[in-house]
Amino acid sequence: MSETPMMDELEKGPWPSFVTQIKRAGESKALMAESSKDLLRQQETAFTEKQGLWKHGGIVGVKGYGGGVIGRYHMRPEDYPGLEHFHTMRINHPCGWFYTTDKLREVCDIWDKHGSGLTNFHGSTGDIIFLGTNTEHLQPIADDLSEKGWDIGSSGSALRTPTGCVGPARCEYACFDTLDFIHDVTNTFQDELHRPPFPYKTKIKASGCCNDCVAAMGRSDTAVIGTWRDELRIDNDAVKEYMDSGMDVQSLVVDNCPTDAIEMVNGKLELVRAEDCTRCMHCINMMPKAVRPGVNKGATILCGAKAPVLHGAVLSTVIIPFMKMEPPYTEFKEYWEKAMDWWDENGKVRERISELIDRVGLDTFLKHMEIKPVPQMVKTPRANPYIFWREEAPPGLDEFKKYIH
Ligand code: SF4
Ligand code: SF4
């Protein structure tokens, strides 16, 4: 009987199986001959014991980099000698994940030469993930990648590899060039990416519109979400075409506008309360030929999303409702550097920026950033004020007074 019956079960069915891939790697690569068997055996044990058998490995460095290689060490190297050290590497992906086949072959050849050949295209941060190699191969991989113009991604207490949606390359909704933006900030903040300088990790993600295809609002400390400052554009001839083809625009589009900003008036779709439109994208998604974003485009800057560690999942908060996003993105870079300086000065070890804001108050952050608070930032007025009143008037007090009765 096989040593790994549960793993063998995962080869059945019509879908690709990682078990089959691991077995194939073991047959075709000397480096994997022992490791592939150990990988399957240890996974079988992990299923049986209902616990993971990898240590939290920390960071393994290569020359010039403080992050990028994630140490994987086994808890029982005596039982699984092929996995004593079996590290994961992150490789900085091209913006929008566009490759030529030549470049794909190139990166796979480098990994085949020095590692397991097992990959994950792509990890949740966006990087290409190389799964499994020994410590002595790390520097040769980094050297080969560098020679061909590839770069290692980020890990540790650094700016993690920035990621954006495909944006204008394939999507008419894009309100700014997410590809150019991500390429630019990746190059500008190389030091922050490769030499971990912060209390903990921090992320920048960019989506060209509110559909937020890279989930920046839920996954990144700094989310840049495309939006428009003027009014969305409606082509009523196209609306009529949708209606003529049988679409119930009233119930499917108008009734689902979250702010009642649009109405059907005499058979025409109209933006009757433009100031209430929250740019949620619903009407545009439903009728892309008839409704489009406005022409004065830019992005909203949000701060503070993260997945759970201590305080559970946190969605980001709007800090700057509208910022023009044009090269060289000076306004964004100045904003980001100033926010990071504040976090770096005040954050505890392993405290994300949202946790620091939670600890000291949003008003403290806004005061440092010299940004006026707005009423929408008040979480629970009076009972538990999110904005604390000071004896001296905070910036924006006059604006607040309009809302106090
Ligand atoms: Fe298109 Fe918006 Fe998705 Fe980007 S986030 S790919 S612009 S729909
Ligand atoms: Fe309403 Fe959203 Fe369309 Fe604005 S984008 S009008 S909020 S459905």
Side-chain angles (χ1 to χ4, degrees):
M1 186 181 152
S2 160
E3 260 189 292
T4 56
M6 282 190 277
M7 300 308 290
D8 297 345
E9 197 64 28
L10 296 178
E11 289 190 278
K12 296 177 184 165
W15 42 82
S17 164
F18 72 93
V19 176
T20 307
Q21 296 303 323
I22 290 173
K23 285 181 181 172
R24 275 191 203 153
E27 286 157 15
S28 62
K29 294 174 65 64
L31 184 136
M32 281 294 285
E34 188 179 20
S35 304
S36 69
K37 289 196 188 85
D38 285 353
L39 263 179
L40 297 176
R41 283 197 310 114
Q42 77 92 33
Q43 193 60 35
E44 186 86 12
T45 308
F47 281 179
T48 311
E49 295 183 3
K50 296 186 173 29
Q51 63 164 336
L53 297 175
W54 297 100
K55 287 182 191 170
H56 187 281
I59 305 295
V60 192
V62 292
K63 269 186 266 169
Y65 290 85
V69 182
I70 303 148
R72 296 276 182 243
Y73 297 97
H74 209 273
M75 278 163 60
R76 299 178 196 162
E78 61 287 0
D79 296 334
Y80 306 98
L83 305 179
E84 185 175 357
H85 39 110
F86 201 67
H87 309 304
T88 299
M89 293 187 81
R90 289 184 172 148
I91 314 302
N92 200 330
H93 57 293
C95 295
W97 301 282
F98 287 105
Y99 298 88
T100 61
T101 45
D102 284 348
K103 286 311 259 187
L104 262 182
R105 277 185 214 290
E106 184 177 276
V107 76
C108 289
D109 285 347
I110 291 170
W111 183 228
D112 256 340
K113 184 171 155 198
H114 297 290
S116 69
L118 300 171
T119 60
N120 173 7
F121 277 75
H122 299 84
S124 56
T125 302
D127 300 280
I128 303 165
I129 308 290
F130 285 175
L131 291 159
T133 194
N134 302 333
T135 307
E136 55 269 27
H137 287 104
L138 295 177
Q139 193 61 50
I141 296 172
D143 293 343
D144 283 6
L145 287 168
S146 176
E147 197 179 303
K148 300 283 187 188
W150 294 88
D151 200 7
I152 291 180
S154 175
S155 54
S157 296
L159 167 63
R160 297 297 179 85
T161 313
T163 302
C165 73
V166 292
R170 293 193 63 187
C171 185
E172 64 198 280
Y173 295 161
C175 293
F176 70 101
D177 190 338
T178 47
L179 306 172
D180 183 64
F181 170 72
I182 290 296
H183 186 248
D184 191 314
V185 295
T186 301
N187 285 322
T188 303
F189 297 120
Q190 281 285 295
D191 268 356
E192 288 78 0
L193 216 147
H194 289 311
R195 292 163 199 95
F198 296 128
Y200 198 21
K201 62 182 153 186
T202 192
K203 301 179 181 180
I204 298 175
K205 294 192 195 295
S207 284
C209 76
C210 241
N211 282 333
D212 195 10
C213 290
V214 291
M217 282 178 249
R219 299 198 306 152
S220 57
D221 305 80
T222 305
V224 184
I225 311 289
T227 192
W228 58 97
R229 189 153 45 180
D230 50 352
E231 296 177 7
L232 49 75
R233 290 170 286 167
I234 300 174
D235 174 352
N236 265 298
D237 291 338
V239 174
K240 186 169 179 307
E241 279 177 34
Y242 279 105
M243 287 164 60
D244 290 348
S245 69
M247 183 172 183
D248 184 347
V249 173
Q250 179 66 43
S251 70
L252 290 176
V253 183
V254 175
D255 292 351
N256 285 324
C257 169
T259 57
D260 293 333
I262 42 176
E263 278 181 15
M264 289 303 290
V265 181
N266 298 327
K268 292 194 168 174
L269 183 68
E270 285 189 11
L271 185 63
V272 290
R273 279 172 287 276
E275 69 281 9
D276 285 349
C277 169
T278 52
R279 281 77 172 147
C280 78
M281 295 297 291
H282 173 70
C283 57
I284 298 175
N285 290 335
M286 291 302 289
M287 299 194 296
K289 288 181 186 160
V291 193
R292 287 184 293 161
V295 290
N296 189 354
K297 296 173 181 172
T300 299
I301 312 299
L302 303 95
C303 174
K306 68 174 192 69
V309 177
L310 291 181
H311 297 297
V314 177
L315 286 175
S316 46
T317 302
V318 172
I319 302 297
I320 301 183
F322 187 87
M323 185 187 279
K324 273 285 182 196
M325 296 302 288
E326 282 159 5
Y329 309 104
T330 309
E331 195 182 350
F332 172 80
K333 289 172 188 168
E334 286 175 359
Y335 162 85
W336 189 78
E337 283 177 326
K338 197 168 179 179
M340 292 302 107
D341 278 352
W342 176 78
W343 173 49
D344 201 18
E345 283 296 314
N346 299 289
K348 294 179 185 173
V349 175
R350 292 179 77 81
E351 185 175 54
R352 298 281 283 270
I353 191 167
S354 71
E355 290 161 332
L356 172 59
I357 289 173
D358 229 20
R359 180 162 61 83
V360 302
L362 181 63
D363 64 329
T364 310
F365 175 61
L366 294 176
K367 197 174 178 207
H368 168 81
M369 297 299 289
E370 298 173 276
I371 293 171
K372 283 183 181 179
V374 294
Q376 287 89 337
M377 290 170 175
V378 179
K379 210 171 166 187
T380 48
R382 295 183 188 279
N384 179 15
Y386 201 41
I387 302 290
F388 295 99
W389 294 100
R390 296 174 190 288
E391 217 167 280
E392 78 275 21
L397 179 62
D398 289 342
E399 214 157 303
F400 262 130
K401 282 182 179 163
K402 286 191 286 187
Y403 298 91
I404 300 169
H405 304 292

